[in-house]
Amino acid sequence: MCMFRQMICAAAIGGLLGAPAFAQGCDHDDADGRLDVGLVLSGGGALASTHIGVLAALEEEGVPVHCVVGTSMGSVVGGLYAAGWSPDEMRAEFESADWPRLIQNSRGRDELPFREKDRQDEYFSDYVAGWGENGLVLPTSVTTLRGLQGFYRRMLDEAPPVFDFDDMPIPYRAVATDLGNGQAVVIGEGDIVEAMLASMSVPGLFDPREINGRLLVDGGLSKQLPVDVAREMGADVVIVVDTTIEPSDPPANPSVVQIAQQIVQVQVWTNRTEQAELLGPGDILIRPDLSMLSTASFERAGDGFESGVNAAAPFRARMREIAAQASAPVDNPGAISARSGGGTRQVARIEIDNNTRVSDALIAERFGIEAGDEVSREDIENAITEVAGLQAFGTIDAGFQDDGTLTLRTRERYLGDDLFQAGLTVSNTFDRNSRYVLRGRYSRIPLNAAGGELGVSLTLGSEYGIALEWLQPFGPEGRYFTDFEAGFEGYPLPLDFDGDRIDDYWLENWYVEAELGRDLGRWGQIALVADYRTGEYHSDILGNDPTEFSDVQLEIARVGAAFEIDTLDHPDFPTSGRSFSAEALWITNLNSEIGLPQQTYERIRLTAAQAFGLGDWGGVVRAEGGTSEDTGVVLQSLFFLGGFRRLSAYSERELPNNDYRYASVEMYRRLTASDAVGSIPLYVGGLVEVAEFTFDLGDFLVYQPDPVFSITGYGAVNTLLGPVYFGLSAGDRGNKAVFLYVGRNF
């Protein structure tokens, strides 16, 4: 997270493009001696909020803007202004936007397909690499521009997919940099949202954008202050808002990140200085006070606005002079406003522009919008989210053509269809009770025209295993699915009774599983399940004495059904939403070697959680329970309590049982700003738990203690490896545990 913020601070300083000359978009009749005013907005990430303050001052002084040129985030502010957004409207949008979510492209958990929510518990990463024709393919960036793309589409949803930017209410240019030759590229036509995204595509942070066969990145690397572009458009006087940060002397022993940051700052400052020298005595150069701001401080948009207003104050007299000498404001009755009208449009027809393996028909069904529908931008974004649930695409975008055609564009991932994920879970209670699991997964997705996924997963550490999985959606919108999995696994099964360790079993088994189910949207699924398992329970205690009964053969078959709901807004620290699961299994013991007749046991388990928010605190109430008819014949039919959020004062799986009820109340507070881009999420929290259980081994061996209590306090940080918890738990029976958890629970 820290490096993520440094990358923004190092690279978002820029804004791209400049070079080829375009038609003089703001050159009016000079015969009357009136001035055409060009506005130039530099790059600078979150510092672009100062541009909005300067725009407010210009409007107060009656200065007409006849053309606007922007680099990086300056191109965003400039494009919105050229499209008809007022400074006050832009300020409101910038202050209310969820910038961390937009920039980090972290889709809300309510937008994720249900299966992806499940996978969050196992893998700390999205796809970390791919495999293509030339071998291993690594990501080109930390995140993507998908979140910002949707944000700008909403603000400019009246923009045609391709048009001349001279036809806007104010002629407009965006500046980006050609990744192939490092030259500035001036964008004056095409898709205005793509022009903005290319101009602000910070290398390493965001993916490059491809426009007309060229890969484009942030314009600040080539033309941070595009004064010459405004001149070429016909501006007689240029008003520049410059938020470029002057590089300071590097430290004595700079880190790799500091070196990269210094190189970018020097490069941007150099090309900025060259452009600033083109300004004449009648032009205005405004440099807002940035001392309390940074390129990543999007949460301080209001402060940036005020800084821009204050920076404009010394130039107000000159502004009034320019207003008195300027040409009349641009008057183009046929201008393309591009800005959102906030209403709905009727769909004339649907067009699918798709270059992936998934069929156009399935994409259209999942999109759900049809010809004749009246839709808003919100409707379109919701439909895009449903398409994204197929998990088969790199980018998804949609917009209207001039004739009312709604075009949905789906593109394959840059990493390809052969993808890799990784995950890590660590548990340590500092009493020689520690476990770790490292996970890796290869997936081919999409597998075929109906979607589908072929996966191979590998687990190493305190548990181990390998599995082959084939998930195949089918039916309308691909909502039904079959899921087949076969593999081998080994993991520990400690067995305690009344505080004494009976045995430490190690289970190894081969298995095949099958599911037939239906996706209920993003909130749940229902499925019929069946599996067959064969293997052995290896005894680590009794197995040391050859006269004692030790290893036990395993051969079982299970059938059942499961229903799950999950609308929690965060997998670890939710503040809203709920979850619920119900599972019923019938487990048949097929092993005749132990001298027991074949018997079927019923196993039922229910879990529920409700999240809530109280001011700066969040919390969740959990309740669950289960019952099994098995009396220890098939250990896999048992339940286990113990471990963090499972009676935290006890070790992992320390309390086996075949009937239990558990409840807890947990509260937590984030210590760092949640609205700051790149802010490391730090939490403190507390947890109170209670459980009662029965462990019935038959033959009058029944352990049914009084209710068990546990209280826990912890500190936590969300990292690239998942959440990390460090805390202390105490139980009502003198149990104490100091614990460290990395990742999610076992």
Side-chain angles (χ1 to χ4, degrees):
M1 291 291 185
C2 184
M3 181 172 288
F4 182 88
R5 187 178 182 90
Q6 286 179 303
M7 291 184 68
I8 296 175
C9 296
I13 299 164
L16 297 177
L17 304 186
F22 282 84
Q24 297 180 322
C26 67
D27 188 36
H28 295 260
D29 184 4
D30 292 331
D32 59 3
R34 312 295 291 180
L35 300 177
D36 298 322
V37 181
L39 178 65
V40 174
L41 304 177
S42 73
L47 303 177
S49 59
T50 63
H51 299 336
I52 303 174
V54 173
L55 284 171
L58 289 173
E59 290 198 349
E60 288 175 4
E61 300 301 339
V63 178
V65 174
H66 300 100
C67 60
V68 58
V69 185
T71 289
S72 195
M73 277 298 292
S75 76
V76 175
V77 173
L80 294 175
Y81 188 64
W85 282 85
S86 72
D88 287 341
E89 289 171 329
M90 282 191 282
R91 177 182 182 176
E93 288 287 342
F94 274 50
E95 287 183 332
S96 62
D98 187 349
W99 290 103
R101 179 173 167 180
L102 292 174
I103 290 176
Q104 297 176 37
N105 190 33
S106 52
R107 284 189 292 165
R109 201 164 185 270
D110 61 325
E111 298 179 9
L112 298 177
F114 186 84
R115 188 171 295 273
E116 189 171 337
K117 295 177 186 179
D118 268 357
R119 197 164 290 176
Q120 281 185 339
D121 291 339
E122 297 183 4
Y123 298 98
F124 60 72
S125 70
D126 195 356
Y127 299 110
V128 297
W131 190 266
E133 293 180 359
N134 298 317
L136 191 67
V137 181
L138 297 176
T140 59
S141 61
V142 173
T143 184
T144 75
L145 286 161
R146 170 71 185 94
L148 290 169
Q149 182 186 59
F151 182 55
Y152 301 152
R153 286 276 181 233
R154 180 179 64 79
M155 299 182 75
L156 297 169
D157 69 350
E158 295 293 330
V162 177
F163 70 103
D164 189 333
F165 298 166
D166 280 345
D167 293 335
M168 297 177 69
I170 301 175
Y172 162 73
R173 301 289 184 270
V175 179
T177 300
D178 189 322
L179 186 60
N181 57 28
Q183 298 298 309
V185 177
V186 178
I187 307 176
E189 61 182 8
D191 184 331
I192 186 172
V193 171
E194 283 300 313
M196 292 176 175
L197 296 176
S199 183
M200 63 171 294
S201 183
V202 177
L205 178 61
F206 298 123
D207 293 331
R209 310 301 288 188
E210 184 177 349
I211 297 180
N212 296 330
R214 308 166 78 175
L215 285 180
L216 303 181
V217 293
D218 194 284
L221 301 177
S222 58
K223 198 164 299 226
Q224 166 75 348
L225 211 64
V227 175
D228 61 347
V229 178
R231 295 285 192 215
E232 291 168 358
M233 292 180 73
D236 300 309
V237 61
V238 178
I239 299 173
V240 178
V241 187
D242 179 19
T243 59
T244 313
I245 298 175
E246 184 173 2
S248 57
D249 293 334
N253 297 297
S255 67
V256 172
V257 173
Q258 289 172 323
I259 291 173
Q261 182 173 347
Q262 186 73 8
I263 291 172
V264 172
Q265 286 183 328
V266 169
Q267 180 176 350
V268 171
W269 182 259
T270 299
N271 77 62
R272 170 263 174 209
T273 302
E274 292 173 352
Q275 289 290 309
E277 291 174 353
L278 300 178
L279 295 172
D283 299 321
I284 296 178
L285 175 62
I286 302 174
R287 286 184 54 78
D289 178 10
L290 308 177
S291 58
M292 302 300 291
L293 303 170
S294 76
T295 56
S297 57
F298 287 91
E299 77 282 2
R300 304 195 63 182
D303 295 332
F305 179 92
E306 296 301 332
S307 178
V309 172
N310 295 334
F315 302 96
R316 283 185 179 262
R318 175 56 184 152
M319 290 179 184
R320 287 191 287 271
E321 291 177 0
I322 293 173
Q325 301 172 33
S327 299
V330 178
D331 182 16
N332 181 4
I336 298 173
S337 69
R339 69 156 291 166
S340 170
T344 62
R345 294 183 64 177
Q346 187 175 55
V347 179
R349 71 183 186 93
I350 296 293
E351 178 183 63
I352 305 297
D353 181 5
N354 168 43
N355 75 342
T356 72
R357 188 178 286 112
V358 179
S359 73
D360 292 356
L362 176 58
I363 294 173
E365 285 184 352
R366 183 63 75 98
F367 192 49
I369 297 176
E370 300 178 346
D373 289 349
E374 287 279 345
V375 297
S376 64
R377 188 66 211 182
E378 182 178 0
D379 296 329
I380 295 173
E381 290 298 321
N382 287 335
I384 287 175
T385 299
E386 292 298 328
V387 175
L390 293 170
Q391 302 189 77
F393 313 107
T395 61
I396 309 174
D397 193 12
F400 276 99
Q401 309 278 0
D402 292 336
D403 63 357
T405 297
L406 180 57
T407 300
L408 176 67
R409 292 174 289 275
T410 54
R411 293 291 178 266
E412 61 186 11
R413 294 182 181 89
Y414 169 80
L415 295 176
D417 297 336
D418 298 292
L419 303 160
F420 300 94
Q421 286 177 286
L424 175 69
T425 305
V426 175
S427 165
N428 193 333
T429 54
F430 302 99
D431 59 357
R432 288 193 265 180
N433 188 348
S434 62
R435 299 171 63 195
Y436 72 95
V437 172
L438 179 65
R439 299 180 179 89
R441 181 180 176 88
Y442 158 79
S443 298
R444 182 167 182 81
I445 179 171
L447 182 63
N448 48 43
E453 177 180 356
L454 181 68
V456 179
S457 57
L458 180 67
T459 302
L460 299 173
S462 303
E463 303 175 5
Y464 54 78
I466 186 169
L468 174 67
E469 180 183 13
W470 175 28
L471 170 68
Q472 185 58 63
F474 66 94
E477 301 181 21
R479 296 292 187 185
Y480 294 89
F481 65 88
T482 56
D483 190 0
F484 300 98
E485 183 173 330
F488 174 82
E489 62 185 1
Y491 58 89
L493 274 176
L495 204 60
D496 289 58
F497 187 87
D498 197 8
D500 296 322
R501 179 61 51 92
I502 299 176
D503 206 341
D504 273 317
Y505 283 105
W506 182 265
L507 170 64
E508 291 183 334
N509 68 266
W510 295 91
Y511 66 90
V512 291
E513 296 179 344
E515 286 189 29
L516 173 63
R518 191 187 191 283
D519 171 8
L520 301 175
R522 295 175 296 223
W523 56 271
Q525 73 175 28
I526 187 168
L528 301 176
V529 298
D531 67 26
Y532 170 80
R533 296 172 183 268
T534 180
E536 283 187 331
Y537 300 106
H538 300 288
S539 170
D540 286 351
I541 296 179
L542 298 179
N544 294 326
D545 185 348
T547 64
E548 294 285 348
F549 178 71
S550 55
D551 291 355
V552 179
Q553 295 298 311
L554 166 71
E555 186 178 7
I556 60 174
R558 305 189 300 183
V559 295
F563 172 60
E564 298 176 89
I565 296 172
D566 186 348
T567 63
L568 296 173
D569 63 348
H570 195 280
D572 307 299
F573 303 100
T575 57
S576 66
R578 61 186 57 87
S579 68
F580 174 80
S581 69
E583 180 186 62
L585 292 175
W586 287 265
I587 305 170
T588 301
N589 177 30
L590 303 175
N591 178 23
S592 59
E593 294 185 7
I594 58 176
L596 295 176
Q598 187 178 106
Q599 189 170 354
T600 298
Y601 307 97
E602 183 180 72
R603 184 183 190 271
I604 297 175
R605 183 170 181 254
L606 302 175
T607 71
Q610 175 65 57
F612 60 89
L614 290 175
D616 294 332
W617 289 81
V620 61
V621 177
R622 298 183 179 90
E624 61 180 84
T627 183
S628 172
E629 296 176 341
D630 182 19
T631 55
V633 176
V634 179
L635 299 186
Q636 285 174 308
S637 68
L638 299 178
F639 305 103
F640 292 85
L641 293 171
F644 184 46
R645 291 174 174 158
R646 299 283 298 161
L647 285 180
S648 306
Y650 293 81
S651 299
E652 292 276 350
R653 298 177 178 173
E654 185 177 343
L655 303 174
N657 61 87
N658 37 28
D659 187 88
Y660 81 101
R661 283 152 296 284
Y662 166 92
S664 69
V665 178
E666 181 177 2
M667 295 194 69
Y668 30 78
R669 178 176 181 175
R670 179 164 173 166
L671 302 178
T672 51
S674 60
D675 58 354
V677 175
S679 172
I680 299 175
L682 298 175
Y683 296 86
V684 293
L687 173 65
V688 176
E689 303 166 279
V690 60
E692 59 179 16
F693 63 91
T694 300
F695 192 16
D696 183 357
L697 290 177
D699 297 327
F700 306 105
L701 290 175
V702 179
Y703 178 46
Q704 187 174 19
D706 293 331
V708 180
F709 295 88
S710 175
I711 185 168
T712 302
Y714 64 82
V717 56
N718 247 347
T719 72
L720 294 176
L721 298 178
V724 176
Y725 304 89
F726 182 80
L728 173 66
S729 294
D732 60 320
R733 304 182 183 187
N735 300 71
K736 294 181 180 179
V738 177
F739 62 84
L740 172 69
Y741 279 90
V742 179
R744 298 185 172 95
N745 296 348
F746 287 92

